[in-house]
Amino acid sequence: MVWVPLRPTRTDRRALLHAPTPRGTTMSLEWLVGWSWSLDGLRDFIATGIQSFRDCDATALAAVACLMVLFVWYCYHVGREQPRAYATVNALMQSAEANGVQNGYVYCHSPECVRCTHHDGLNQKLYHNLQEYAKRYSWSGMGRIHKGIREQGRYLNSRPSIQKPEVFFLPDLPTMPYFSRDAQKHDVELLERNFQTILCEFETLYKAFSNCSLPQGWKMNSTPSGEWFTFYLVNQGMCVPRNCRRCPRTYRLLGSLRTCIGNNVFGNACISVLSPGTVITEHYGPTNIRIRCHLGLKTPSNCELVVGGEPQCWAEGRCLLFDDSFLHTAFHEGAPEDGPRVVFMVDLWHPNVAAAERQALDFIFAPGR
C-alpha cells in the first residue's frame, strides 16, 4: 500500500486562507500556499518537457546534446584563455612606471629584444612569435607576415640601397619616400588642430635648458656636428611616465590618434630638437610597417629633411609624413640667432597594413618579447 499526498483543491486553499489565524502568521500562510502552487506549476512544466523529449526523434536529441557539449566546451575555453591585452598608451605608461625608467628614457636591456639585437636566430624567434599568435587567435590574414618572416633575409639583401629597413620588412606594401596628408588624414588634422597646445608644452620644457646643459628627461643623440635632443613620451613601445606628466595635454592627445603605434617596439612619440649647425648622419629606420609623422613646431629657414634623396622642408603647424625605412637625414644650417628646429614626431601605421596584421605585429614585436 502506497501513501500518496493529496493535492489540495482550490476550495481547500481558499478555506485555509480565510481560516482564523493569528495576525502574525497570515502573511506566512499566504506565502506558503503561493509557493506550493508555484511548485505544482513547475512540476507540471518539467513533466511536460520530459514527455516532449521522449516524443522527439533520437537523432535530434543526439544533435542537441552534441551542440550543448560544444557550447559548454567553448565557454570553458574562452573563460580559461588569457590573451595578451593590447594595452592603451595609458596602460603602457603604468607598465613603464613599474619597470622603472632612468632619466626619462627607456633603455632596453634584454638580449632577446628583436628591435635592439641582431643575430642569426632572429627569424626563428619571429616565426615562433607568429606561431604563438596564430595558435591563440588565427592564421587568417597572416599571409604577408608569414611570407616576410620566412624570406626576411632575401628581402633585406635584395632591397635597393635606397630602402633597407634594419629589422623587419613587410612585403607588398606600396613604397614611396613621402606620403600625402590623406594617408592618415584624421590623425594629421588632429595633430595640426592641437599645434598650439603641443608648442606651449614644449616651450615650458625648453626653458630648463637655460639652467643646465641636459635637463632631466631629455636625451642627447650622437651627431657628426651640432646637437640633437629628444624628449620621449613613448620610446620603442614603452611610455615614459615622468615625461608624460610634464606634457599632459600632448600625452592625452596620443590616446586620441587612431593609427598611433603604441604597443610594439616600432612605436615612438617625442619632441625632436636640432640646434643650428646640426647634421644627422644618414640612416635607415627599422621597418616599413610605419610612417613617421613630423609636426613642425619651430621651423627656421635653412632646415631640410632628405628621404630617399628627395628634400623637403618643414612648416610650422603642418605635418610631414615619410617612410623612414628609406635612407634619410636631416640638417639645420641656419645661424645661431635662428634658434632650434623643433618637431613633434609620432609613428603611425602604414595605411596599407591591415587591422589583423597590426594586431599580430603588436604581439610579435611586443616590448621585451
Side-chain angles (χ1 to χ4, degrees), residues 164-203:
K164 279 186 175 293
E166 295 180 339
V167 179
F168 179 72
F169 178 80
L170 185 65
D172 305 324
L173 284 182
T175 297
M176 61 193 78
Y178 294 96
F179 285 79
S180 71
R181 296 163 44 81
D182 291 337
Q184 297 295 5
K185 185 175 181 180
H186 172 273
D187 290 351
V188 165
E189 291 179 349
L190 184 62
L191 287 168
E192 290 180 352
R193 284 198 304 270
N194 288 272
F195 160 69
Q196 287 295 339
T197 296
I198 301 172
L199 177 62
C200 287
E201 291 194 330
F202 158 72
E203 289 175 340

Side-chain angles (χ1 to χ4, degrees), residues 196-226:
Q196 287 295 339
T197 296
I198 301 172
L199 177 62
C200 287
E201 291 194 330
F202 158 72
E203 289 175 340
T204 301
L205 289 172
Y206 199 64
K207 290 176 182 177
F209 274 90
S210 59
N211 299 324
C212 58
S213 57
L214 186 63
Q216 190 174 47
W218 289 86
K219 175 181 180 291
M220 179 178 286
N221 303 281
S222 176
T223 56
S225 61

